[in-house]
Amino acid sequence: MPVELTASQALGLWHAVSLEQVRHDGRDLSLRQLAILLEVYLVPPPHTVRGLAERLGVTKPVITRALDTMGEQGLVDRSRDERDRRNVLVKRTVDGALYLEKLGDLIIGRGRALTS
Amino acid sequence: MPVELTASQALGLWHAVSLEQVRHDGRDLSLRQLAILLEVYLVPPPHTVRGLAERLGVTKPVITRALDTMGEQGLVDRSRDERDRRNVLVKRTVDGALYLEKLGDLIIGRGRALTS
DNA sequence: CGATGTCGTTACGCTAGCGTATCGTTGCAC
DNA sequence: GTGCAACGATACGCTAGCGTAACGACATCG
């Protein structure tokens, strides 16, 4: 089942998902935060602050701040790398996995609704 | 060509697009701002502050502030409704259309790349 | 050892955005 | 006209996030 989108369908999908997310997500994650979250959960570990900063093309304090916020919300976890104690490893959480699972369901649902 | 996504593909698409957007968009629109922009461009006019607020489930000052910012960036325009001068009509701009066109292309491109 | 470099974090001043409450303007019904 | 409702914008105090520059902790290499 190929992912073939017209320009109109692509924007329509983004529209529907964004709208639903704004309406029903109290968290209101920024695009940067969401990108970090997806990176951590979809790309094999390890994930470091430095690595994430390079990947997103932002500075390190941006990552630290985002991890502060998302850590308080239980979406990610941080722990020292015992092999090199300068590093901090960003780890997944149950709540984070649940959050992205719901987002995935939302995208699929809205994508299906586009063709009906 | 149906829009059929697996859960993994859906999140992968969101991941790729978010990443690209964070890396190459100096604007860094919030999810709310993007939702407003898509609403204005994909739903037939007229668009009022009140209407957008109800549609997104947020308060009116949220919309006013978002329109301030996006107005400065040339993504949307505001003008008084001459038929009922209490209303403000949110209008599209060339720059805004261009911005969403590029976003659409990005989504399509990343969607296609998912299946290759 | 000490010197140097690399981590992630923090400090600083600043801007943007938030919610609540209120404001001035405009429409409308009486 | 006068009262009242609806519209969008503004004021207020506050939080979150920003970029730049520094910091302490740790590793590495001579």
Side-chain angles (χ1 to χ4, degrees), chain B residues 85-101:
Chain B
R85 293 187 49 76
R86 289 175 302 179
N87 290 333
V88 162
L89 300 180
V90 183
K91 309 182 83 171
R92 304 165 186 170
T93 65
V94 176
D95 280 6
L98 224 64
Y99 180 82
L100 286 188
E101 188 180 330

mmCIF file of all heavy atoms in Angstrom, chain B residues 85-101:
data_model
loop_
_atom_site.group_PDB
_atom_site.id
_atom_site.type_symbol
_atom_site.label_atom_id
_atom_site.label_comp_id
_atom_site.label_asym_id
_atom_site.label_seq_id
_atom_site.Cartn_x
_atom_site.Cartn_y
_atom_site.Cartn_z
ATOM 1 N N ARG B 85 -18.596 46.103 10.521
ATOM 2 C CA ARG B 85 -17.278 46.627 10.869
ATOM 3 C C ARG B 85 -16.766 46.147 12.217
ATOM 4 O O ARG B 85 -15.679 46.543 12.634
ATOM 5 C CB ARG B 85 -17.311 48.166 10.823
ATOM 6 C CG ARG B 85 -17.509 48.695 9.415
ATOM 7 C CD ARG B 85 -17.368 50.210 9.359
ATOM 8 N NE ARG B 85 -16.169 50.693 10.037
ATOM 9 C CZ ARG B 85 -14.952 50.608 9.538
ATOM 10 N NH1 ARG B 85 -14.769 50.052 8.350
ATOM 11 N NH2 ARG B 85 -13.928 51.061 10.201
ATOM 12 N N ARG B 86 -17.512 45.297 12.891
ATOM 13 C CA ARG B 86 -16.959 44.686 14.100
ATOM 14 C C ARG B 86 -16.002 43.564 13.739
ATOM 15 O O ARG B 86 -15.053 43.269 14.455
ATOM 16 C CB ARG B 86 -18.089 44.122 14.973
ATOM 17 C CG ARG B 86 -18.926 45.186 15.646
ATOM 18 C CD ARG B 86 -20.081 44.553 16.371
ATOM 19 N NE ARG B 86 -20.917 43.760 15.446
ATOM 20 C CZ ARG B 86 -21.984 43.089 15.816
ATOM 21 N NH1 ARG B 86 -22.362 43.092 17.083
ATOM 22 N NH2 ARG B 86 -22.690 42.412 14.935
ATOM 23 N N ASN B 87 -16.278 42.934 12.631
ATOM 24 C CA ASN B 87 -15.482 41.766 12.234
ATOM 25 C C ASN B 87 -14.150 42.133 11.589
ATOM 26 O O ASN B 87 -14.007 43.184 10.971
ATOM 27 C CB ASN B 87 -16.261 40.912 11.234
ATOM 28 C CG ASN B 87 -17.423 40.212 11.884
ATOM 29 O OD1 ASN B 87 -17.393 39.936 13.082
ATOM 30 N ND2 ASN B 87 -18.451 39.937 11.102
ATOM 31 N N VAL B 88 -13.191 41.247 11.743
ATOM 32 C CA VAL B 88 -11.933 41.332 11.011
ATOM 33 C C VAL B 88 -11.829 40.098 10.136
ATOM 34 O O VAL B 88 -12.025 38.970 10.603
ATOM 35 C CB VAL B 88 -10.729 41.406 11.975
ATOM 36 C CG1 VAL B 88 -9.437 41.048 11.244
ATOM 37 C CG2 VAL B 88 -10.620 42.792 12.585
ATOM 38 N N LEU B 89 -11.579 40.311 8.872
ATOM 39 C CA LEU B 89 -11.460 39.183 7.959
ATOM 40 C C LEU B 89 -9.991 38.829 7.755
ATOM 41 O O LEU B 89 -9.168 39.698 7.453
ATOM 42 C CB LEU B 89 -12.103 39.535 6.611
ATOM 43 C CG LEU B 89 -13.593 39.879 6.695
ATOM 44 C CD1 LEU B 89 -14.140 40.211 5.311
ATOM 45 C CD2 LEU B 89 -14.371 38.730 7.332
ATOM 46 N N VAL B 90 -9.684 37.571 7.943
ATOM 47 C CA VAL B 90 -8.319 37.099 7.746
ATOM 48 C C VAL B 90 -8.179 36.665 6.300
ATOM 49 O O VAL B 90 -8.959 35.844 5.817
ATOM 50 C CB VAL B 90 -7.990 35.929 8.695
ATOM 51 C CG1 VAL B 90 -6.540 35.511 8.532
ATOM 52 C CG2 VAL B 90 -8.293 36.315 10.133
ATOM 53 N N LYS B 91 -7.184 37.224 5.630
ATOM 54 C CA LYS B 91 -7.050 36.959 4.207
ATOM 55 C C LYS B 91 -5.701 36.331 3.881
ATOM 56 O O LYS B 91 -4.733 36.475 4.626
ATOM 57 C CB LYS B 91 -7.230 38.271 3.418
ATOM 58 C CG LYS B 91 -8.498 39.023 3.817
ATOM 59 C CD LYS B 91 -8.692 40.296 3.006
ATOM 60 C CE LYS B 91 -9.345 40.014 1.671
ATOM 61 N NZ LYS B 91 -9.721 41.276 0.971
ATOM 62 N N ARG B 92 -5.674 35.662 2.770
ATOM 63 C CA ARG B 92 -4.462 34.977 2.327
ATOM 64 C C ARG B 92 -3.510 35.949 1.653
ATOM 65 O O ARG B 92 -3.918 37.013 1.192
ATOM 66 C CB ARG B 92 -4.831 33.850 1.361
ATOM 67 C CG ARG B 92 -5.822 32.877 1.952
ATOM 68 C CD ARG B 92 -6.457 31.984 0.896
ATOM 69 N NE ARG B 92 -7.514 31.145 1.500
ATOM 70 C CZ ARG B 92 -8.376 30.415 0.802
ATOM 71 N NH1 ARG B 92 -8.316 30.413 -0.523
ATOM 72 N NH2 ARG B 92 -9.286 29.693 1.421
ATOM 73 N N THR B 93 -2.246 35.566 1.608
ATOM 74 C CA THR B 93 -1.238 36.369 0.924
ATOM 75 C C THR B 93 -0.450 35.474 -0.027
ATOM 76 O O THR B 93 -0.505 34.241 0.066
ATOM 77 C CB THR B 93 -0.244 37.003 1.917
ATOM 78 O OG1 THR B 93 0.496 35.959 2.551
ATOM 79 C CG2 THR B 93 -0.961 37.824 2.965
ATOM 80 N N VAL B 94 0.274 36.100 -0.908
ATOM 81 C CA VAL B 94 1.104 35.334 -1.835
ATOM 82 C C VAL B 94 2.176 34.569 -1.071
ATOM 83 O O VAL B 94 2.422 33.387 -1.325
ATOM 84 C CB VAL B 94 1.751 36.279 -2.872
ATOM 85 C CG1 VAL B 94 2.695 35.490 -3.771
ATOM 86 C CG2 VAL B 94 0.677 36.958 -3.706
ATOM 87 N N ASP B 95 2.810 35.241 -0.114
ATOM 88 C CA ASP B 95 3.853 34.579 0.664
ATOM 89 C C ASP B 95 3.322 33.383 1.437
ATOM 90 O O ASP B 95 3.984 32.343 1.533
ATOM 91 C CB ASP B 95 4.490 35.578 1.646
ATOM 92 C CG ASP B 95 5.505 36.474 0.961
ATOM 93 O OD1 ASP B 95 5.606 36.390 -0.279
ATOM 94 O OD2 ASP B 95 6.186 37.254 1.651
ATOM 95 N N GLY B 96 2.128 33.532 1.992
ATOM 96 C CA GLY B 96 1.542 32.426 2.729
ATOM 97 C C GLY B 96 1.262 31.236 1.829
ATOM 98 O O GLY B 96 1.536 30.088 2.195
ATOM 99 N N ALA B 97 0.724 31.511 0.653
ATOM 100 C CA ALA B 97 0.441 30.433 -0.293
ATOM 101 C C ALA B 97 1.727 29.729 -0.698
ATOM 102 O O ALA B 97 1.789 28.499 -0.801
ATOM 103 C CB ALA B 97 -0.259 31.001 -1.521
ATOM 104 N N LEU B 98 2.778 30.526 -0.868
ATOM 105 C CA LEU B 98 4.070 29.965 -1.243
ATOM 106 C C LEU B 98 4.622 29.082 -0.138
ATOM 107 O O LEU B 98 5.178 28.003 -0.382
ATOM 108 C CB LEU B 98 5.047 31.112 -1.525
ATOM 109 C CG LEU B 98 5.922 30.979 -2.761
ATOM 110 C CD1 LEU B 98 5.049 30.967 -4.006
ATOM 111 C CD2 LEU B 98 6.943 32.100 -2.824
ATOM 112 N N TYR B 99 4.453 29.554 1.082
ATOM 113 C CA TYR B 99 4.948 28.800 2.235
ATOM 114 C C TYR B 99 4.271 27.435 2.313
ATOM 115 O O TYR B 99 4.935 26.407 2.479
ATOM 116 C CB TYR B 99 4.685 29.596 3.512
ATOM 117 C CG TYR B 99 5.151 28.910 4.765
ATOM 118 C CD1 TYR B 99 6.473 28.979 5.167
ATOM 119 C CD2 TYR B 99 4.260 28.194 5.563
ATOM 120 C CE1 TYR B 99 6.907 28.358 6.332
ATOM 121 C CE2 TYR B 99 4.678 27.570 6.719
ATOM 122 C CZ TYR B 99 5.997 27.660 7.100
ATOM 123 O OH TYR B 99 6.416 27.030 8.249
ATOM 124 N N LEU B 100 2.952 27.408 2.172
ATOM 125 C CA LEU B 100 2.227 26.145 2.263
ATOM 126 C C LEU B 100 2.505 25.258 1.053
ATOM 127 O O LEU B 100 2.500 24.031 1.163
ATOM 128 C CB LEU B 100 0.730 26.411 2.406
ATOM 129 C CG LEU B 100 0.311 26.927 3.778
ATOM 130 C CD1 LEU B 100 -1.199 26.983 3.893
ATOM 131 C CD2 LEU B 100 0.885 26.039 4.881
ATOM 132 N N GLU B 101 2.751 25.886 -0.072
ATOM 133 C CA GLU B 101 3.078 25.091 -1.254
ATOM 134 C C GLU B 101 4.380 24.316 -1.032
ATOM 135 O O GLU B 101 4.484 23.131 -1.343
ATOM 136 C CB GLU B 101 3.208 26.016 -2.465
ATOM 137 C CG GLU B 101 3.358 25.271 -3.789
ATOM 138 C CD GLU B 101 3.489 26.268 -4.946
ATOM 139 O OE1 GLU B 101 2.920 27.384 -4.846
ATOM 140 O OE2 GLU B 101 4.161 25.927 -5.930
#
